[in-house]
Amino acid sequence: MNIKVATFNLAAGEHPDCSAINRLCVESGIQILGAQELDRFSRRLPFDMPALVAGSKYRVAYAPVMPLMGGEYGIALLADQQLEAPSVYPYTVFGEEPRVFQHANYDNGRVRLSVYNTHLSFETMAIRQQQARELLTAIREDSAANIVVFGDFNMDQSHDEWQVFNKSLTRLNGGDGQWFNSFVGRDEAMKVYEIDNIMVSSNIRVVSRELVPTLLSDHRMFAAELEVPEY
């Protein structure tokens, strides 16, 4: 069965239009979204951003990372089905901000997926590599047949940073040498801009992948159509 998925850093600090993000996801046919940089009831965004992005189409599993401006800041998984057993795991190392990865199970009656979502630290390669190893430990211990990983990995110094994942997962951004420039802001500290990715277990076939044009964030939505074995 084919399923449409995406990862998207929503840049809460840019005061995004949450209703427009929801429409973009619905119109793009997204069934599962890994989202990063969402606020809940902060002074800069005094509302439930994950709920507004979800709208009536999606169920949401929100993973708060830290308190921010009287509210919370975090990441979220959104899906067209109820996500089962959502959980949050903090990394043992991080930079200025705590970082986590989240996990949940997706089942639409035909396919089952074990899904992960994360946002790695931006400060140093060493921190990111340790976070990647902790994420990989969880994935390797996962007995699910079908695994999908979403994230803003902030691997902005070299494409070689991604090699940590090469033996375990199929990377959709850059895995075959074709890179998608997902960050459209500009930062003098960054050397490469292909920092958002989706990764899958080897039994999932990649049908297509694309950057979805939008001005709703300083990132672009990175989307893919996947062929997942049915149960």
Coordinates of all heavy atoms in Angstrom, one line a residue, residues 74-138:
G74 N 8.3 22.4 21.3 CA 8.6 21.0 21.1 C 8.4 20.6 19.7 O 8.5 21.4 18.7
I75 N 8.3 19.2 19.5 CA 8.1 18.6 18.2 C 6.8 17.8 18.3 O 6.2 17.6 19.3 CB 9.3 17.7 17.9 CG1 9.4 16.5 18.9 CG2 10.6 18.5 17.8 CD1 10.5 15.6 18.5
A76 N 6.3 17.4 17.1 CA 5.0 16.7 17.1 C 5.0 15.7 15.9 O 5.5 15.9 14.8 CB 3.9 17.6 17.0
L77 N 4.2 14.6 16.1 CA 3.8 13.7 15.0 C 2.3 13.9 14.8 O 1.5 14.0 15.7 CB 4.1 12.3 15.4 CG 5.5 11.7 15.4 CD1 5.7 10.5 16.2 CD2 5.9 11.5 13.9
L78 N 2.0 14.0 13.5 CA 0.6 14.2 13.1 C 0.2 13.1 12.1 O 1.0 12.7 11.3 CB 0.3 15.5 12.5 CG 0.5 16.8 13.4 CD1 1.9 17.3 13.3 CD2 -0.5 17.9 13.1
A79 N -1.0 12.5 12.2 CA -1.4 11.4 11.4 C -2.9 11.4 11.1 O -3.6 12.0 12.0 CB -0.9 10.1 12.0
D80 N -3.3 10.8 10.0 CA -4.7 10.7 9.7 C -5.4 9.6 10.5 O -6.6 9.3 10.3 CB -4.9 10.5 8.2 CG -4.3 9.2 7.7 OD1 -3.7 8.5 8.5 OD2 -4.4 9.0 6.5
Q81 N -4.6 8.9 11.4 CA -5.2 7.9 12.3 C -4.7 8.2 13.7 O -3.6 8.9 13.8 CB -4.7 6.5 11.9 CG -5.0 6.1 10.5 CD -6.4 5.8 10.2 OE1 -7.2 5.4 11.1 NE2 -6.9 6.2 9.0
Q82 N -5.4 7.7 14.7 CA -4.9 7.8 16.0 C -3.5 7.2 16.2 O -3.3 6.0 15.8 CB -5.8 7.2 17.0 CG -5.5 7.5 18.5 CD -5.6 8.9 18.9 OE1 -6.6 9.6 18.5 NE2 -4.7 9.5 19.6
L83 N -2.5 7.9 16.7 CA -1.2 7.3 16.9 C -1.2 6.6 18.3 O -1.6 7.1 19.3 CB -0.2 8.5 17.0 CG 0.1 9.1 15.6 CD1 0.7 10.5 15.8 CD2 0.9 8.2 14.7
E84 N -0.7 5.4 18.2 CA -0.7 4.5 19.4 C 0.6 4.6 20.2 O 1.7 4.7 19.6 CB -0.9 3.0 18.9 CG -2.2 2.8 18.1 CD -2.2 1.4 17.5 OE1 -1.2 0.7 17.6 OE2 -3.2 1.2 16.8
A85 N 0.4 4.5 21.5 CA 1.6 4.5 22.4 C 2.6 5.6 22.2 O 3.8 5.2 22.1 CB 2.2 3.1 22.4
P86 N 2.2 6.8 22.1 CA 3.2 7.9 21.9 C 4.1 8.0 23.1 O 3.7 7.9 24.2 CB 2.4 9.1 21.6 CG 1.1 8.8 22.3 CD 0.9 7.4 22.2
S87 N 5.4 8.2 22.8 CA 6.4 8.3 23.9 C 7.5 9.3 23.5 O 7.7 9.5 22.3 CB 7.0 6.9 24.3 OG 7.5 6.3 23.1
V88 N 8.2 9.8 24.5 CA 9.2 10.8 24.3 C 10.5 10.4 25.1 O 10.4 10.0 26.2 CB 8.7 12.2 24.8 CG1 9.8 13.3 24.6 CG2 7.4 12.6 24.2
Y89 N 11.6 10.6 24.4 CA 12.9 10.2 25.0 C 13.9 11.3 24.9 O 14.3 11.7 23.8 CB 13.5 9.0 24.2 CG 12.5 7.8 24.2 CD1 11.6 7.6 23.2 CD2 12.6 6.8 25.2 CE1 10.7 6.6 23.2 CE2 11.7 5.7 25.2 CZ 10.7 5.6 24.2 OH 9.9 4.6 24.2
P90 N 14.4 11.8 26.0 CA 15.4 12.9 26.0 C 16.8 12.4 25.6 O 17.2 11.3 26.0 CB 15.4 13.4 27.4 CG 14.9 12.3 28.2 CD 14.0 11.5 27.4
Y91 N 17.5 13.2 24.8 CA 18.9 12.8 24.6 C 19.7 13.2 25.8 O 19.4 14.1 26.6 CB 19.4 13.6 23.4 CG 18.8 13.2 22.0 CD1 18.0 14.0 21.3 CD2 19.1 11.9 21.5 CE1 17.4 13.7 20.1 CE2 18.5 11.5 20.3 CZ 17.7 12.4 19.6 OH 17.2 12.0 18.4
T92 N 20.8 12.4 26.0 CA 21.7 12.6 27.2 C 22.6 13.8 27.0 O 23.2 14.4 27.9 CB 22.5 11.4 27.5 OG1 23.4 11.1 26.4 CG2 21.6 10.2 27.8
V93 N 22.8 14.2 25.7 CA 23.7 15.4 25.4 C 22.9 16.3 24.5 O 22.1 15.9 23.7 CB 25.0 14.9 24.7 CG1 25.9 14.1 25.6 CG2 24.7 14.2 23.4
F94 N 23.2 17.6 24.7 CA 22.5 18.6 23.9 C 23.2 20.0 24.1 O 24.1 20.1 24.9 CB 21.0 18.8 24.3 CG 20.8 18.9 25.8 CD1 20.8 20.2 26.4 CD2 20.5 17.8 26.5 CE1 20.6 20.3 27.8 CE2 20.3 17.9 27.9 CZ 20.3 19.1 28.5
G95 N 22.9 20.9 23.3 CA 23.5 22.2 23.3 C 22.7 23.2 24.2 O 22.4 22.9 25.4
E96 N 22.4 24.3 23.7 CA 21.7 25.4 24.4 C 20.3 24.9 24.8 O 19.7 25.4 25.9 CB 21.6 26.7 23.6 CG 22.9 27.3 23.3 CD 22.8 28.5 22.4 OE1 21.6 29.0 22.2 OE2 23.8 29.0 21.9
E97 N 19.6 24.1 24.0 CA 18.3 23.6 24.3 C 18.3 22.1 24.5 O 19.0 21.4 23.8 CB 17.4 24.0 23.1 CG 17.4 25.4 22.7 CD 16.6 25.6 21.4 OE1 16.1 24.6 20.8 OE2 16.5 26.8 20.9
P98 N 17.4 21.6 25.4 CA 17.2 20.2 25.5 C 16.7 19.7 24.1 O 16.1 20.4 23.4 CB 16.2 20.0 26.6 CG 16.2 21.3 27.3 CD 16.6 22.3 26.4
R99 N 17.0 18.4 23.8 CA 16.5 17.8 22.6 C 15.9 16.4 22.9 O 16.4 15.7 23.8 CB 17.6 17.7 21.5 CG 18.2 19.0 21.1 CD 17.3 19.8 20.2 NE 17.8 21.1 19.8 CZ 17.4 21.9 18.9 NH1 16.3 21.5 18.2 NH2 17.9 23.0 18.6
V100 N 15.0 16.0 22.1 CA 14.3 14.7 22.3 C 14.1 14.0 21.0 O 14.1 14.6 19.9 CB 13.0 14.8 23.1 CG1 13.1 15.6 24.4 CG2 11.9 15.5 22.2
F101 N 13.8 12.7 21.0 CA 13.1 12.1 19.9 C 11.8 11.5 20.4 O 11.7 11.1 21.6 CB 13.9 11.0 19.2 CG 14.3 9.8 20.0 CD1 13.5 8.7 19.9 CD2 15.4 9.7 20.7 CE1 13.8 7.5 20.6 CE2 15.8 8.6 21.4 CZ 14.9 7.4 21.4
Q102 N 10.8 11.4 19.6 CA 9.5 10.8 20.0 C 9.2 9.6 19.1 O 9.8 9.4 18.0 CB 8.4 11.8 19.9 CG 8.1 12.3 18.5 CD 6.9 13.3 18.4 OE1 6.9 14.2 17.6 NE2 5.9 13.1 19.3
H103 N 8.4 8.7 19.6 CA 8.0 7.5 18.9 C 6.5 7.2 19.1 O 6.0 7.5 20.1 CB 8.8 6.3 19.4 CG 8.3 5.0 18.9 ND1 7.5 4.1 19.5 CD2 8.6 4.4 17.7 CE1 7.2 3.1 18.8 NE2 7.9 3.2 17.6
A104 N 5.9 6.7 18.0 CA 4.5 6.2 18.1 C 4.3 5.1 17.0 O 5.1 5.0 16.1 CB 3.6 7.4 17.9
N105 N 3.2 4.4 17.2 CA 2.8 3.4 16.2 C 1.6 3.9 15.4 O 0.7 4.5 15.9 CB 2.5 2.1 16.9 CG 3.7 1.5 17.6 OD1 4.7 1.4 17.0 ND2 3.5 1.2 18.9
Y106 N 1.7 3.6 14.1 CA 0.6 4.0 13.2 C 0.0 2.8 12.5 O 0.7 1.9 12.1 CB 1.2 4.9 12.1 CG 0.2 5.3 11.0 CD1 -0.6 6.4 11.0 CD2 0.2 4.5 9.8 CE1 -1.4 6.7 10.0 CE2 -0.7 4.8 8.8 CZ -1.5 6.0 8.9 OH -2.3 6.3 7.8
D107 N -1.3 2.7 12.5 CA -2.0 1.5 11.9 C -3.3 2.0 11.2 O -4.2 2.6 11.9 CB -2.3 0.5 13.0 CG -2.9 -0.8 12.4 OD1 -3.5 -0.8 11.3 OD2 -2.7 -1.8 13.1
N108 N -3.4 1.9 9.9 CA -4.6 2.3 9.2 C -5.5 1.2 8.8 O -6.4 1.4 7.9 CB -4.2 3.2 8.0 CG -3.5 2.5 6.9 OD1 -3.3 1.3 7.0 ND2 -3.1 3.2 5.9
G109 N -5.2 0.0 9.3 CA -6.0 -1.2 9.0 C -5.4 -2.0 7.9 O -5.9 -3.1 7.6
R110 N -4.4 -1.5 7.2 CA -3.8 -2.2 6.1 C -2.2 -2.3 6.3 O -1.6 -3.2 5.9 CB -4.1 -1.5 4.8 CG -5.6 -1.6 4.4 CD -5.8 -1.0 3.1 NE -5.1 -1.6 2.0 CZ -5.1 -1.1 0.7 NH1 -5.8 0.0 0.5 NH2 -4.5 -1.7 -0.2
V111 N -1.7 -1.2 6.9 CA -0.2 -1.2 7.1 C 0.0 -0.7 8.6 O -0.8 0.1 9.1 CB 0.5 -0.3 6.1 CG1 0.4 -0.7 4.7 CG2 0.1 1.2 6.3
R112 N 1.1 -1.2 9.1 CA 1.6 -0.8 10.4 C 2.9 -0.1 10.2 O 3.8 -0.7 9.5 CB 1.7 -1.9 11.4 CG 0.4 -2.6 11.8 CD 0.5 -3.5 13.0 NE -0.7 -4.2 13.3 CZ -1.0 -5.4 13.0 NH1 -0.1 -6.1 12.3 NH2 -2.1 -6.0 13.3
L113 N 3.1 1.0 10.9 CA 4.4 1.7 10.9 C 4.8 2.1 12.3 O 4.0 2.5 13.1 CB 4.3 3.0 10.0 CG 4.1 2.8 8.5 CD1 3.8 4.2 7.9 CD2 5.4 2.3 7.9
S114 N 6.1 1.9 12.5 CA 6.7 2.4 13.8 C 7.4 3.7 13.4 O 8.3 3.7 12.5 CB 7.8 1.4 14.3 OG 8.4 1.9 15.5
V115 N 7.0 4.9 13.9 CA 7.4 6.2 13.4 C 8.2 6.9 14.5 O 7.8 6.9 15.7 CB 6.2 7.0 12.9 CG1 5.7 6.4 11.6 CG2 5.1 7.2 13.9
Y116 N 9.2 7.6 14.1 CA 10.1 8.4 15.0 C 10.1 9.8 14.4 O 10.0 10.0 13.2 CB 11.5 7.8 15.0 CG 11.6 6.5 15.7 CD1 11.3 5.3 15.0 CD2 12.0 6.3 17.0 CE1 11.4 4.0 15.5 CE2 12.1 5.1 17.6 CZ 11.8 3.9 16.9 OH 11.9 2.7 17.4
N117 N 10.3 10.8 15.3 CA 10.5 12.2 14.9 C 11.5 12.8 15.8 O 11.5 12.6 17.1 CB 9.1 12.9 15.0 CG 9.2 14.3 14.6 OD1 9.9 14.7 13.6 ND2 8.5 15.2 15.3
T118 N 12.4 13.7 15.3 CA 13.4 14.3 16.1 C 13.8 15.6 15.6 O 13.5 16.0 14.4 CB 14.6 13.4 16.3 OG1 15.4 13.8 17.4 CG2 15.4 13.3 15.0
H119 N 14.6 16.4 16.4 CA 15.2 17.6 16.0 C 16.5 17.7 16.7 O 16.6 17.9 17.9 CB 14.3 18.8 16.4 CG 14.8 20.1 15.9 ND1 14.2 21.3 16.4 CD2 15.7 20.5 15.0 CE1 14.8 22.3 15.8 NE2 15.8 21.9 15.0
L120 N 17.6 17.5 16.0 CA 18.9 17.4 16.6 C 19.5 18.8 16.9 O 19.0 19.8 16.3 CB 19.9 16.6 15.8 CG 19.5 15.2 15.4 CD1 20.7 14.4 14.8 CD2 19.0 14.4 16.7
S121 N 20.5 18.9 17.7 CA 21.1 20.1 18.1 C 21.9 20.8 17.0 O 22.4 20.1 16.1 CB 22.0 19.9 19.3 OG 21.3 19.6 20.5
F122 N 21.9 22.1 17.0 CA 22.6 22.8 15.9 C 24.0 23.1 16.2 O 24.8 23.5 15.3 CB 21.8 24.1 15.5 CG 21.8 25.1 16.6 CD1 22.8 26.0 16.8 CD2 20.8 25.1 17.5 CE1 22.8 27.0 17.8 CE2 20.7 26.1 18.6 CZ 21.8 27.0 18.7
E123 N 24.5 23.0 17.5 CA 25.7 23.6 17.9 C 27.0 23.0 17.3 O 27.8 23.6 16.7 CB 25.8 23.7 19.4 CG 24.9 24.7 20.1 CD 23.5 24.2 20.4 OE1 23.2 23.0 19.9 OE2 22.7 24.9 21.0
T124 N 27.1 21.6 17.5 CA 28.3 21.0 17.0 C 28.0 19.6 16.4 O 27.0 19.0 16.7 CB 29.3 20.7 18.2 OG1 28.8 19.7 19.1 CG2 29.6 22.0 19.0
M125 N 28.9 19.2 15.5 CA 28.8 17.8 14.9 C 28.9 16.8 16.0 O 28.2 15.7 15.9 CB 29.9 17.7 13.9 CG 29.8 18.5 12.7 SD 31.2 18.3 11.5 CE 31.2 16.6 11.2
A126 N 29.8 17.0 17.0 CA 30.0 15.9 18.0 C 28.7 15.7 18.8 O 28.3 14.5 19.1 CB 31.1 16.4 19.0
I127 N 27.9 16.7 19.1 CA 26.7 16.6 19.8 C 25.7 15.8 18.9 O 25.0 14.9 19.4 CB 26.1 17.9 20.3 CG1 26.9 18.6 21.3 CG2 24.6 17.7 20.8 CD1 26.5 20.0 21.7
R128 N 25.6 16.2 17.7 CA 24.7 15.5 16.8 C 25.0 14.1 16.6 O 24.1 13.2 16.5 CB 24.6 16.3 15.4 CG 23.9 17.6 15.5 CD 23.7 18.1 14.1 NE 24.9 18.5 13.4 CZ 25.6 19.7 13.5 NH1 25.1 20.6 14.3 NH2 26.7 19.9 12.8
Q129 N 26.3 13.7 16.5 CA 26.7 12.3 16.3 C 26.3 11.5 17.5 O 25.8 10.4 17.3 CB 28.2 12.3 16.0 CG 28.6 12.8 14.7 CD 28.0 12.0 13.5 OE1 28.3 10.8 13.4 NE2 27.2 12.7 12.7
Q130 N 26.4 12.0 18.7 CA 26.0 11.3 19.9 C 24.5 11.1 19.9 O 24.0 10.0 20.2 CB 26.5 12.0 21.1 CG 26.0 11.3 22.4 CD 26.5 9.9 22.6 OE1 27.6 9.5 22.1 NE2 25.7 9.0 23.2
Q131 N 23.8 12.2 19.6 CA 22.3 12.1 19.5 C 21.9 11.1 18.5 O 20.9 10.3 18.7 CB 21.7 13.5 19.2 CG 21.9 14.4 20.4 CD 21.5 15.9 20.0 OE1 21.4 16.2 18.8 NE2 21.2 16.7 21.0
A132 N 22.5 11.1 17.3 CA 22.2 10.1 16.3 C 22.4 8.7 16.8 O 21.6 7.8 16.5 CB 23.0 10.4 15.0
R133 N 23.5 8.4 17.5 CA 23.8 7.1 18.0 C 22.7 6.7 19.0 O 22.3 5.5 19.0 CB 25.2 7.1 18.6 CG 26.3 7.1 17.6 CD 27.6 6.8 18.2 NE 28.1 7.9 19.1 CZ 28.9 8.8 18.6 NH1 29.3 8.9 17.3 NH2 29.3 9.8 19.4
E134 N 22.2 7.6 19.8 CA 21.2 7.3 20.8 C 19.9 6.9 20.1 O 19.1 6.0 20.5 CB 21.0 8.4 21.8 CG 22.2 8.6 22.7 CD 22.0 9.7 23.7 OE1 20.9 10.1 24.0 OE2 23.0 10.2 24.2
L135 N 19.5 7.7 19.1 CA 18.3 7.4 18.3 C 18.5 6.1 17.6 O 17.5 5.2 17.6 CB 18.2 8.5 17.2 CG 17.0 8.3 16.2 CD1 15.7 8.2 16.9 CD2 17.1 9.5 15.2
L136 N 19.6 5.8 17.0 CA 19.8 4.5 16.3 C 19.8 3.3 17.3 O 19.3 2.2 16.9 CB 21.2 4.5 15.6 CG 21.2 5.2 14.3 CD1 22.7 5.3 13.8 CD2 20.4 4.4 13.3
T137 N 20.2 3.5 18.5 CA 20.1 2.4 19.5 C 18.6 2.0 19.7 O 18.2 0.8 19.7 CB 20.7 2.8 20.8 OG1 22.1 3.0 20.7 CG2 20.4 1.8 21.9
A138 N 17.7 3.0 19.8 CA 16.3 2.7 19.9 C 15.7 2.1 18.7 O 14.9 1.1 18.8 CB 15.5 4.0 20.2

